Amino acid sequence: MLDKKYSCIREMLEDEERRTLSPYACCAADSRGREREEAKCDIRTDFQRDRDRILHSKSFRRLKQKTQVFLDPEGDHYRTRLTHTLEVSQIGRTISKALRLNQDLTEAIAMGHDLGHTPFGHSGEAVLNKVCKGGFIHSDQSVRVIEVLEKNGNGLNLTWEVRDGIKNHQTEGNPATLEGKVVRISDKIAYLNHDVDDAIRAGLLVEEDLPITLRKTLGMNCHDRLNSLIHDIIINPIDRDDVILTDEYMQAMQELRKWMFKHIYSGESEAKNQEKKAQQMIKLLFDYYMSNPEKMTAEYLNSIGKGTPKETAVCDYISGMTDNYAIEKFEELFVPVGWRY
Protein backbone atom coordinates (compact mmCIF):
# COMPACT_ATOMS: atom_id res chain seq x y z
CA MET A 1 0.00 0.00 0.00
CA LEU A 2 1.04 3.58 -0.59
CA ASP A 3 2.50 5.27 2.47
CA LYS A 4 0.21 8.05 3.71
CA LYS A 5 3.00 10.60 3.47
CA TYR A 6 2.85 10.31 -0.34
CA SER A 7 -0.03 11.57 -2.42
CA CYS A 8 0.88 9.30 -5.36
CA ILE A 9 3.29 6.60 -6.47
CA ARG A 10 5.44 9.09 -8.37
CA GLU A 11 6.27 10.96 -5.17
CA MET A 12 7.30 7.68 -3.53
CA LEU A 13 9.60 6.88 -6.46
CA GLU A 14 11.11 10.36 -6.39
CA ASP A 15 11.81 10.02 -2.67
CA GLU A 16 13.35 6.61 -3.23
CA GLU A 17 15.72 8.11 -5.81
CA ARG A 18 16.86 10.78 -3.34
CA ARG A 19 17.54 8.14 -0.68
CA THR A 20 19.30 5.51 -2.79
CA LEU A 21 21.06 7.15 -5.72
CA SER A 22 24.57 8.54 -5.78
CA PRO A 23 24.91 12.23 -4.83
CA TYR A 24 26.14 12.72 -8.40
CA ALA A 25 23.04 11.14 -9.97
CA CYS A 26 20.28 13.24 -11.52
CA CYS A 27 17.04 12.74 -9.63
CA ALA A 28 13.81 13.14 -11.57
CA ALA A 29 12.44 15.56 -8.99
CA ASP A 30 15.39 17.87 -9.69
CA SER A 31 14.86 17.98 -13.46
CA ARG A 32 15.06 21.36 -15.14
CA GLY A 33 11.70 20.49 -16.62
CA ARG A 34 10.06 20.58 -20.03
CA GLU A 35 9.80 23.38 -22.55
CA ARG A 36 6.03 23.33 -22.14
CA GLU A 37 4.75 22.88 -18.61
CA GLU A 38 2.31 20.02 -18.12
CA ALA A 39 0.69 18.08 -15.31
CA LYS A 40 2.82 15.40 -13.65
CA CYS A 41 2.02 11.71 -14.02
CA ASP A 42 0.77 10.13 -10.82
CA ILE A 43 2.66 6.83 -11.22
CA ARG A 44 5.77 7.62 -13.30
CA THR A 45 8.66 9.99 -12.78
CA ASP A 46 9.37 12.50 -15.54
CA PHE A 47 12.28 10.41 -16.85
CA GLN A 48 10.18 7.24 -16.93
CA ARG A 49 7.54 9.17 -18.83
CA ASP A 50 10.13 10.41 -21.33
CA ARG A 51 11.36 6.86 -21.93
CA ASP A 52 7.80 5.70 -22.62
CA ARG A 53 7.12 8.59 -25.01
CA ILE A 54 10.20 7.69 -27.03
CA LEU A 55 9.36 3.99 -27.02
CA HIS A 56 5.87 4.66 -28.39
CA SER A 57 7.01 7.16 -31.04
CA LYS A 58 6.92 6.55 -34.78
CA SER A 59 10.58 7.46 -35.08
CA PHE A 60 11.55 4.71 -32.66
CA ARG A 61 9.59 2.09 -34.60
CA ARG A 62 11.30 3.10 -37.83
CA LEU A 63 14.71 2.20 -36.38
CA LYS A 64 13.99 -1.48 -37.02
CA GLN A 65 14.46 -0.93 -40.77
CA LYS A 66 17.45 1.39 -40.67
CA THR A 67 21.00 0.23 -41.35
CA GLN A 68 23.55 0.00 -38.58
CA VAL A 69 26.67 -0.85 -40.62
CA PHE A 70 25.81 -3.35 -43.35
CA LEU A 71 23.10 -2.43 -45.84
CA ASP A 72 20.16 -4.86 -45.88
CA PRO A 73 22.27 -7.96 -45.17
CA GLU A 74 20.82 -11.39 -45.84
CA GLY A 75 20.34 -13.03 -42.47
CA ASP A 76 18.34 -12.38 -39.33
CA HIS A 77 21.20 -11.82 -36.92
CA TYR A 78 22.82 -8.62 -38.16
CA ARG A 79 22.26 -5.48 -36.13
CA THR A 80 19.87 -2.76 -37.17
CA ARG A 81 19.65 0.74 -35.75
CA LEU A 82 16.96 -0.57 -33.39
CA THR A 83 18.96 -3.49 -32.01
CA HIS A 84 21.94 -1.15 -31.60
CA THR A 85 19.74 1.19 -29.58
CA LEU A 86 18.59 -1.65 -27.34
CA GLU A 87 22.17 -2.78 -26.77
CA VAL A 88 23.23 0.76 -25.83
CA SER A 89 20.31 0.90 -23.41
CA GLN A 90 21.24 -2.42 -21.81
CA ILE A 91 24.91 -1.48 -21.40
CA GLY A 92 23.94 1.94 -20.06
CA ARG A 93 21.53 0.51 -17.50
CA THR A 94 24.15 -1.96 -16.28
CA ILE A 95 26.69 0.80 -15.75
CA SER A 96 24.17 3.18 -14.20
CA LYS A 97 22.87 0.60 -11.76
CA ALA A 98 26.39 -0.28 -10.60
CA LEU A 99 27.29 3.40 -10.15
CA ARG A 100 23.95 4.20 -8.47
CA LEU A 101 22.96 6.60 -11.21
CA ASN A 102 19.45 7.17 -12.55
CA GLN A 103 18.65 4.17 -14.74
CA ASP A 104 15.44 5.74 -16.06
CA LEU A 105 17.25 8.83 -17.33
CA THR A 106 19.99 6.68 -18.85
CA GLU A 107 17.43 4.50 -20.61
CA ALA A 108 15.47 7.47 -21.97
CA ILE A 109 18.61 9.04 -23.45
CA ALA A 110 19.73 5.71 -24.91
CA MET A 111 16.33 5.00 -26.47
CA GLY A 112 16.28 8.41 -28.16
CA HIS A 113 19.91 8.94 -29.12
CA ASP A 114 19.58 7.74 -32.73
CA LEU A 115 16.02 8.77 -33.59
CA GLY A 116 17.33 11.26 -36.15
CA HIS A 117 19.59 8.82 -37.95
CA THR A 118 19.27 8.57 -41.71
CA PRO A 119 18.57 5.48 -43.79
CA PHE A 120 21.73 3.55 -44.73
CA GLY A 121 23.61 4.48 -41.59
CA HIS A 122 26.47 6.95 -41.57
CA SER A 123 26.76 6.80 -45.35
CA GLY A 124 23.31 8.37 -45.62
CA GLU A 125 24.22 10.94 -42.98
CA ALA A 126 27.38 11.87 -44.92
CA VAL A 127 25.34 12.63 -48.05
CA LEU A 128 22.85 14.89 -46.27
CA ASN A 129 25.69 16.61 -44.45
CA LYS A 130 27.26 17.36 -47.83
CA VAL A 131 24.18 18.52 -49.74
CA CYS A 132 22.52 20.56 -46.98
CA LYS A 133 23.92 24.07 -46.69
CA GLY A 134 23.75 24.02 -42.92
CA GLY A 135 25.11 20.49 -42.69
CA PHE A 136 23.44 17.48 -41.12
CA ILE A 137 24.37 15.78 -37.85
CA HIS A 138 22.20 12.91 -36.66
CA SER A 139 22.45 13.88 -32.98
CA ASP A 140 21.04 17.34 -33.75
CA GLN A 141 18.38 15.73 -35.91
CA SER A 142 17.43 13.40 -33.05
CA VAL A 143 16.73 16.47 -30.93
CA ARG A 144 14.74 17.99 -33.78
CA VAL A 145 12.68 14.80 -34.03
CA ILE A 146 11.69 14.88 -30.36
CA GLU A 147 11.24 18.66 -30.14
CA VAL A 148 9.52 19.37 -33.45
CA LEU A 149 8.73 16.49 -35.79
CA GLU A 150 6.99 13.91 -33.62
CA LYS A 151 3.25 14.08 -32.89
CA ASN A 152 2.38 16.06 -36.02
CA GLY A 153 4.77 18.87 -35.32
CA ASN A 154 4.14 19.17 -31.59
CA GLY A 155 7.15 17.16 -30.47
CA LEU A 156 7.36 14.89 -27.43
CA ASN A 157 8.05 17.71 -24.94
CA LEU A 158 10.78 15.77 -23.14
CA THR A 159 12.75 16.97 -20.13
CA TRP A 160 15.86 19.11 -20.55
CA GLU A 161 18.17 16.36 -19.25
CA VAL A 162 17.00 13.80 -21.82
CA ARG A 163 17.32 16.28 -24.67
CA ASP A 164 20.80 17.29 -23.48
CA GLY A 165 21.96 13.68 -23.31
CA ILE A 166 20.66 12.92 -26.80
CA LYS A 167 22.25 16.04 -28.30
CA ASN A 168 25.63 15.32 -26.70
CA HIS A 169 25.93 11.56 -27.15
CA GLN A 170 28.66 11.81 -29.79
CA THR A 171 32.39 11.90 -28.99
CA GLU A 172 32.68 15.68 -29.13
CA GLY A 173 29.61 16.16 -26.94
CA ASN A 174 29.74 17.07 -23.26
CA PRO A 175 26.58 15.84 -21.52
CA ALA A 176 25.51 17.79 -18.45
CA THR A 177 24.59 14.66 -16.49
CA LEU A 178 26.54 11.52 -15.62
CA GLU A 179 23.68 9.54 -17.13
CA GLY A 180 24.32 11.32 -20.43
CA LYS A 181 28.00 10.44 -20.14
CA VAL A 182 27.07 6.81 -19.53
CA VAL A 183 25.10 6.73 -22.78
CA ARG A 184 27.88 8.46 -24.72
CA ILE A 185 30.43 5.81 -23.72
CA SER A 186 27.91 2.94 -23.93
CA ASP A 187 27.19 3.90 -27.53
CA LYS A 188 30.86 3.46 -28.44
CA ILE A 189 31.23 0.22 -26.52
CA ALA A 190 28.14 -1.18 -28.21
CA TYR A 191 28.85 -0.26 -31.81
CA LEU A 192 32.53 -1.20 -31.79
CA ASN A 193 31.87 -4.64 -30.38
CA HIS A 194 28.75 -5.49 -32.34
CA ASP A 195 30.30 -4.15 -35.55
CA VAL A 196 33.20 -6.57 -35.05
CA ASP A 197 30.69 -9.34 -34.41
CA ASP A 198 28.70 -8.49 -37.55
CA ALA A 199 31.88 -8.23 -39.64
CA ILE A 200 32.90 -11.71 -38.49
CA ARG A 201 29.43 -13.01 -39.31
CA ALA A 202 29.67 -11.42 -42.76
CA GLY A 203 33.00 -13.15 -43.42
CA LEU A 204 34.88 -9.86 -43.66
CA LEU A 205 37.29 -10.85 -40.91
CA VAL A 206 38.02 -13.51 -38.33
CA GLU A 207 38.71 -12.90 -34.68
CA GLU A 208 42.43 -13.49 -35.18
CA ASP A 209 42.62 -10.58 -37.66
CA LEU A 210 42.26 -8.10 -34.79
CA PRO A 211 45.63 -6.88 -33.47
CA ILE A 212 46.77 -9.23 -30.73
CA THR A 213 47.81 -6.33 -28.50
CA LEU A 214 44.22 -5.04 -28.48
CA ARG A 215 42.80 -8.51 -27.90
CA LYS A 216 45.11 -9.06 -24.93
CA THR A 217 44.00 -5.76 -23.39
CA LEU A 218 40.29 -5.77 -24.21
CA GLY A 219 39.49 -9.46 -24.53
CA MET A 220 39.89 -12.35 -26.92
CA ASN A 221 36.28 -12.28 -28.15
CA CYS A 222 33.28 -9.93 -28.31
CA HIS A 223 31.81 -11.15 -25.03
CA ASP A 224 35.06 -10.64 -23.14
CA ARG A 225 35.59 -7.18 -24.67
CA LEU A 226 32.15 -6.02 -23.63
CA ASN A 227 32.70 -7.43 -20.17
CA SER A 228 36.12 -5.87 -19.68
CA LEU A 229 35.11 -2.40 -20.90
CA ILE A 230 32.01 -2.29 -18.71
CA HIS A 231 33.96 -3.50 -15.69
CA ASP A 232 36.71 -0.95 -16.28
CA ILE A 233 34.18 1.88 -16.07
CA ILE A 234 32.52 0.48 -12.98
CA ILE A 235 35.68 -0.31 -10.99
CA ASN A 236 36.87 3.26 -11.36
CA PRO A 237 36.13 4.88 -7.98
CA ILE A 238 32.37 4.89 -7.44
CA ASP A 239 30.65 8.10 -6.32
CA ARG A 240 32.68 10.55 -8.33
CA ASP A 241 31.58 13.21 -10.75
CA ASP A 242 32.63 11.50 -13.98
CA VAL A 243 32.16 8.36 -16.05
CA ILE A 244 35.36 7.32 -17.80
CA LEU A 245 37.55 4.44 -18.86
CA THR A 246 41.08 4.09 -17.52
CA ASP A 247 43.77 5.42 -19.85
CA GLU A 248 44.80 1.89 -20.87
CA TYR A 249 41.32 0.86 -21.93
CA MET A 250 40.46 4.18 -23.54
CA GLN A 251 43.59 4.04 -25.68
CA ALA A 252 42.88 0.43 -26.64
CA MET A 253 39.30 1.23 -27.61
CA GLN A 254 40.46 4.19 -29.71
CA GLU A 255 42.98 1.94 -31.46
CA LEU A 256 40.25 -0.62 -32.16
CA ARG A 257 38.07 2.13 -33.63
CA LYS A 258 40.91 3.26 -35.92
CA TRP A 259 41.48 -0.33 -37.00
CA MET A 260 37.78 -0.78 -37.77
CA PHE A 261 37.70 2.40 -39.87
CA LYS A 262 40.68 1.21 -41.88
CA HIS A 263 39.56 -2.38 -42.42
CA ILE A 264 35.75 -2.36 -42.18
CA TYR A 265 34.04 1.03 -42.15
CA SER A 266 36.09 2.34 -45.08
CA GLY A 267 36.86 -1.00 -46.70
CA GLU A 268 36.26 -2.15 -50.26
CA SER A 269 34.22 -5.27 -49.53
CA GLU A 270 31.06 -5.98 -51.51
CA ALA A 271 29.03 -5.32 -48.37
CA LYS A 272 30.48 -1.83 -48.04
CA ASN A 273 30.52 -1.08 -51.76
CA GLN A 274 26.72 -1.10 -51.70
CA GLU A 275 26.96 2.15 -49.73
CA LYS A 276 28.08 4.00 -52.87
CA LYS A 277 24.79 3.08 -54.52
CA ALA A 278 22.87 4.11 -51.42
CA GLN A 279 24.61 7.49 -51.33
CA GLN A 280 23.80 8.14 -54.98
CA MET A 281 20.20 7.25 -54.25
CA ILE A 282 19.98 9.66 -51.30
CA LYS A 283 21.49 12.45 -53.43
CA LEU A 284 18.96 11.87 -56.22
CA LEU A 285 16.07 11.83 -53.75
CA PHE A 286 17.28 15.07 -52.18
CA ASP A 287 17.55 16.81 -55.55
CA TYR A 288 14.14 15.53 -56.62
CA TYR A 289 12.28 16.71 -53.53
CA MET A 290 14.05 20.06 -53.59
CA SER A 291 12.59 20.53 -57.07
CA ASN A 292 9.27 18.83 -56.26
CA PRO A 293 8.48 19.46 -52.58
CA GLU A 294 4.78 18.85 -53.24
CA LYS A 295 5.65 15.16 -53.72
CA MET A 296 6.57 14.78 -50.07
CA THR A 297 3.99 13.50 -47.59
CA ALA A 298 1.58 16.05 -46.14
CA GLU A 299 3.27 16.58 -42.77
CA TYR A 300 6.54 17.70 -44.38
CA LEU A 301 4.83 19.77 -47.05
CA ASN A 302 2.72 21.45 -44.36
CA SER A 303 5.86 22.28 -42.36
CA ILE A 304 7.08 24.35 -45.31
CA GLY A 305 3.78 26.22 -45.24
CA LYS A 306 4.39 26.95 -41.56
CA GLY A 307 7.77 28.53 -42.29
CA THR A 308 10.22 25.63 -42.28
CA PRO A 309 12.89 26.18 -44.97
CA LYS A 310 12.37 23.82 -47.89
CA GLU A 311 15.85 22.35 -47.54
CA THR A 312 15.23 21.55 -43.87
CA ALA A 313 11.89 19.92 -44.64
CA VAL A 314 13.48 17.77 -47.35
CA CYS A 315 16.21 16.67 -44.92
CA ASP A 316 13.53 15.91 -42.33
CA TYR A 317 11.65 13.77 -44.84
CA ILE A 318 14.64 11.82 -46.15
CA SER A 319 16.31 11.29 -42.77
CA GLY A 320 13.05 9.89 -41.43
CA MET A 321 12.87 7.25 -44.15
CA THR A 322 13.68 3.62 -43.47
CA ASP A 323 16.05 1.88 -45.87
CA ASN A 324 13.13 0.05 -47.47
CA TYR A 325 11.02 3.17 -47.88
CA ALA A 326 13.92 5.09 -49.45
CA ILE A 327 14.43 2.28 -51.98
CA GLU A 328 10.70 2.16 -52.65
CA LYS A 329 10.51 5.90 -53.33
CA PHE A 330 13.62 5.75 -55.52
CA GLU A 331 12.12 2.97 -57.63
CA GLU A 332 8.84 4.83 -57.87
CA LEU A 333 10.52 8.02 -59.05
CA PHE A 334 13.48 6.83 -61.13
CA VAL A 335 13.05 3.20 -62.23
CA PRO A 336 10.95 2.77 -65.39
CA VAL A 337 8.21 0.17 -65.50
CA GLY A 338 6.62 -1.50 -68.46
CA TRP A 339 3.59 0.25 -69.97
CA ARG A 340 0.52 -1.68 -70.95
CA TYR A 341 -2.68 -0.66 -72.70
Side-chain angles (χ1 to χ4, degrees):
M1 293 181 63
L2 185 66
D3 192 305
K4 292 182 178 179
K5 68 178 180 179
Y6 304 115
S7 64
C8 62
I9 293 174
R10 172 184 50 78
E11 290 184 357
M12 180 181 68
L13 295 176
E14 290 173 343
D15 186 52
E16 182 179 350
E17 286 184 353
R18 291 188 184 281
R19 289 185 289 104
T20 61
L21 294 184
S22 162
Y24 300 110
C26 182
C27 294
D30 297 328
S31 170
R32 291 173 58 171
R34 308 180 187 279
E35 286 192 322
R36 300 186 303 276
E37 189 174 347
E38 57 184 71
K40 299 275 189 180
C41 178
D42 62 333
I43 60 174
R44 295 171 296 171
T45 68
D46 284 350
F47 297 150
Q48 289 175 332
R49 203 176 188 187
D50 283 359
R51 174 204 59 204
D52 294 348
R53 288 180 179 183
I54 293 170
L55 185 64
H56 291 289
S57 69
K58 293 187 297 183
S59 301
F60 184 81
R61 294 194 291 276
R62 290 198 295 264
L63 295 177
K64 68 180 179 180
Q65 290 186 341
K66 290 196 177 190
T67 290
Q68 177 60 23
V69 173
F70 301 108
L71 271 63
D72 195 25
E74 293 185 5
D76 296 331
H77 300 134
Y78 293 92
R79 272 74 173 191
T80 65
R81 191 61 57 179
L82 177 60
T83 58
H84 161 72
T85 294
L86 296 176
E87 291 183 20
V88 173
S89 176
Q90 180 270 321
I91 293 170
R93 286 187 66 93
T94 297
I95 295 172
S96 288
K97 186 175 181 63
L99 297 180
R100 295 194 300 122
L101 300 177
N102 195 316
Q103 295 179 65
D104 297 324
L105 174 56
T106 300
E107 186 175 27
I109 296 170
M111 288 295 190
H113 82 281
D114 271 353
L115 291 182
H117 230 302
T118 61
F120 311 115
H122 288 285
S123 60
E125 179 179 15
V127 174
L128 289 186
N129 186 49
K130 187 175 181 179
V131 299
C132 295
K133 293 179 181 178
F136 183 94
I137 302 174
H138 79 268
S139 54
D140 289 342
Q141 187 68 15
S142 294
V143 175
R144 179 167 170 77
V145 166
I146 60 179
E147 289 184 342
V148 178
L149 300 180
E150 272 291 340
K151 297 186 70 174
N152 298 316
N154 294 311
L156 300 178
N157 196 30
L158 304 185
T159 56
W160 183 90
E161 291 77 13
V162 172
R163 289 182 281 124
D164 170 80
I166 290 172
K167 180 176 178 60
N168 290 290
H169 78 268
Q170 293 186 279
T171 301
E172 61 274 14
N174 184 26
T177 65
L178 292 193
E179 290 81 3
K181 292 183 178 182
V182 166
V183 173
R184 183 180 60 179
I185 201 165
S186 297
D187 183 32
K188 295 170 181 58
I189 291 173
Y191 79 68
L192 274 177
N193 284 282
H194 63 47
D195 290 355
V196 170
D197 190 41
D198 279 355
I200 292 173
R201 180 172 289 105
L204 301 181
L205 60 88
V206 295
E207 182 66 50
E208 290 70 24
D209 289 333
L210 298 177
I212 187 61
T213 53
L214 298 182
R215 296 176 70 212
K216 285 182 177 179
T217 299
L218 298 175
M220 303 302 283
N221 54 58
C222 287
H223 172 272
D224 289 346
R225 285 189 287 274
L226 278 171
N227 191 54
S228 65
L229 286 165
I230 292 170
H231 272 78
D232 186 70
I233 295 170
I234 292 171
I235 64 175
N236 272 296
I238 295 177
D239 287 339
R240 73 173 178 185
D241 194 15
D242 207 355
V243 177
I244 58 173
L245 288 161
T246 58
D247 290 342
E248 178 186 17
Y249 277 82
M250 177 59 76
Q251 181 177 349
M253 192 167 76
Q254 290 173 343
E255 289 299 320
L256 177 58
R257 185 172 183 269
K258 291 178 183 177
W259 191 91
M260 287 292 289
F261 265 98
K262 180 178 179 180
H263 296 277
I264 300 299
Y265 299 144
S266 303
E268 293 299 325
S269 68
E270 180 61 27
K272 297 303 288 181
N273 281 337
Q274 295 300 312
E275 290 185 359
K276 298 175 183 177
K277 299 177 183 178
Q279 289 182 323
Q280 292 173 340
M281 183 168 59
I282 293 292
K283 175 64 166 59
L284 285 170
L285 287 173
F286 178 84
D287 291 342
Y288 177 84
Y289 289 117
M290 284 295 290
S291 299
N292 304 275
E294 72 281 359
K295 297 297 184 179
M296 294 192 295
T297 56
E299 61 183 299
Y300 299 98
L301 185 58
N302 291 340
S303 72
I304 296 176
K306 295 177 181 178
T308 300
K310 181 173 65 173
E311 185 179 70
T312 300
V314 172
C315 282
D316 289 340
Y317 184 41
I318 294 177
S319 65
M321 293 179 176
T322 62
D323 294 14
N324 292 347
Y325 185 73
I327 294 171
E328 177 185 321
K329 299 308 292 185
F330 178 83
E331 291 177 343
E332 175 186 315
L333 296 171
F334 298 106
V335 178
V337 296
W339 179 80
R340 295 181 180 181
Y341 61 93

